[in-house]
């Protein structure tokens, strides 16, 4: 499916086509899933990574900061609230609906406040050839980690869960800070790559991914043909 998206990116106009955001989404989702998986496991990473990746791709692709112009704070606040919803849904997989609902609400409010003082992702939008992370990006990552940590600890103490203690809330914040720093490091390069890579290269990548998918799909038939099984 991913290979088909990349091939369509090429066939339907390449760099200026309607599917330009697909490549951006794929890159950011991969970064988010990897970062969350390392700290919190696959279930949380699958939901949080997919949601955060799509939101950041939309924010950068359609509302990225134009040099010389201020960031649209209203849009930033909306994305802050949506990110709270995403990590709240992801937290449900680990701590249940009550924890997820309160945690998502508090995190969303905290992210909105942090965006109000200049720590929105759009404030750090860049398109550069190499990975880059500056002082402002580090401060933004630390702020998001603090917001999520405080929210997680507060909810853990509020609900009095014997299983999900304050340490669990700190893990949530650690994951947020790790992922934020990881994405902040590589986002300039991703944006540069999306803008500069030849459309035919993405088309070729799409064909390669389709071929890999066909091989993976055929594995079940090769197992039957060669009578490979677990003894």
């Amino acid at each position: 499916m991913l290979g088909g998206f990349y091939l369509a990116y090429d066939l339907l106009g390449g760099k200026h086509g309607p599917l330009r955001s697909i490549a951006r989404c794929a890159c950011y989702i991969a970064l988010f899933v990897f970062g969350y998986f390392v700290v919190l496991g696959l279930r949380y990473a699958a939901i949080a990574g997919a949601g955060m990746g799509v939101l950041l791709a939309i924010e950068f692709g359609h509302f990225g900061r134009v040099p010389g112009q201020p960031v649209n704070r209203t849009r930033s606040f909306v994305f802050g609230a949506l990110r709270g919803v995403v990590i709240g849904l992801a937290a449900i997989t680990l701590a249940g609906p009550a924890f997820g609902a309160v945690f998502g609400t508090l995190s969303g409010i905290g992210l909105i406040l942090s965006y109000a003082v200049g720590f929105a992702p759009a404030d750090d939008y860049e398109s550069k050839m190499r990975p880059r992370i500056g002082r402002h990006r580090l401060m933004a990552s630390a702020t998001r980690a603090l917001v999520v940590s405080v929210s997680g600890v507060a909810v853990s103490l509020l609900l009095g869960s014997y299983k999900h203690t304050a340490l669990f809330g700190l893990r949530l914040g650690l994951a947020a800070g790790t992922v934020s720093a990881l994405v902040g490091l590589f986002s300039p390069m991703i944006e540069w790559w999306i803008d500069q890579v030849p459309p035919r290269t993405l088309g070729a990548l799409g064909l390669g991914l389709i071929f890999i998918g066909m091989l993976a799909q055929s594995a079940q038939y090769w197992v039957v043909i060669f009578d490979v099984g677990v003894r």
Side-chain angles (χ1 to χ4, degrees):
M1 182 178 67
L2 183 59
F5 282 150
Y6 275 106
L7 185 59
Y9 179 99
D10 174 35
L11 297 178
L12 297 181
K15 181 177 178 180
H16 302 290
L19 294 179
R20 179 183 180 183
S21 296
I22 294 297
R24 181 181 276 108
C25 278
C27 292
Y28 285 126
I29 287 174
L31 279 179
F32 276 108
V33 169
F34 173 77
Y36 282 125
F37 172 74
V38 170
V39 182
L40 292 172
L42 183 59
R43 289 184 299 172
Y44 188 97
I47 296 176
M52 292 293 197
V54 170
L55 286 174
L56 188 61
I58 294 173
E59 186 173 9
F60 279 176
H62 298 281
F63 307 114
R65 182 175 184 177
V66 178
Q69 294 185 8
V71 173
N72 187 313
R73 291 298 168 197
T74 301
R75 290 172 182 164
S76 294
F77 297 163
V78 171
F79 280 103
L82 291 175
R83 288 185 175 97
V85 173
V86 168
I87 60 177
L89 291 173
I92 290 176
T93 65
L94 300 179
F99 186 100
V102 182
F103 172 66
T105 300
L106 292 181
S107 296
I109 294 172
L111 289 173
I112 289 173
L113 293 176
S114 71
Y115 292 178
V117 297
F119 291 126
D123 287 294
D124 292 310
Y125 177 82
E126 280 187 307
S127 178
K128 299 289 184 180
M129 188 175 178
R130 294 182 177 85
R132 181 176 183 273
I133 189 165
R135 179 181 178 183
H136 191 271
R137 277 196 178 89
L138 288 175
M139 291 177 61
S141 298
T143 301
R144 292 167 198 151
L146 179 63
V147 165
V148 176
S149 293
V150 170
S151 300
V153 171
V155 179
S156 297
L157 296 176
L158 178 65
L159 298 182
S161 172
Y162 71 92
K163 183 178 180 181
H164 302 295
T165 61
L167 182 60
F168 177 69
L170 293 176
R171 283 181 60 203
L172 293 172
L174 175 63
T178 300
V179 171
S180 181
L182 184 67
V183 173
L185 175 64
F186 288 103
S187 63
M189 188 173 67
I190 291 174
E191 294 302 314
W192 180 88
W193 179 73
I194 293 297
D195 290 336
Q196 302 297 327
V197 68
R200 294 298 174 187
T201 300
L202 290 179
L205 177 60
L207 287 174
L209 290 173
I210 290 174
F211 181 69
I212 293 172
M214 292 171 62
L215 288 178
Q217 177 66 20
S218 68
Q220 57 184 319
Y221 304 110
W222 292 110
V223 168
V224 174
I225 291 173
F226 293 104
D227 193 24
V228 177
V230 179
R231 303 300 183 187

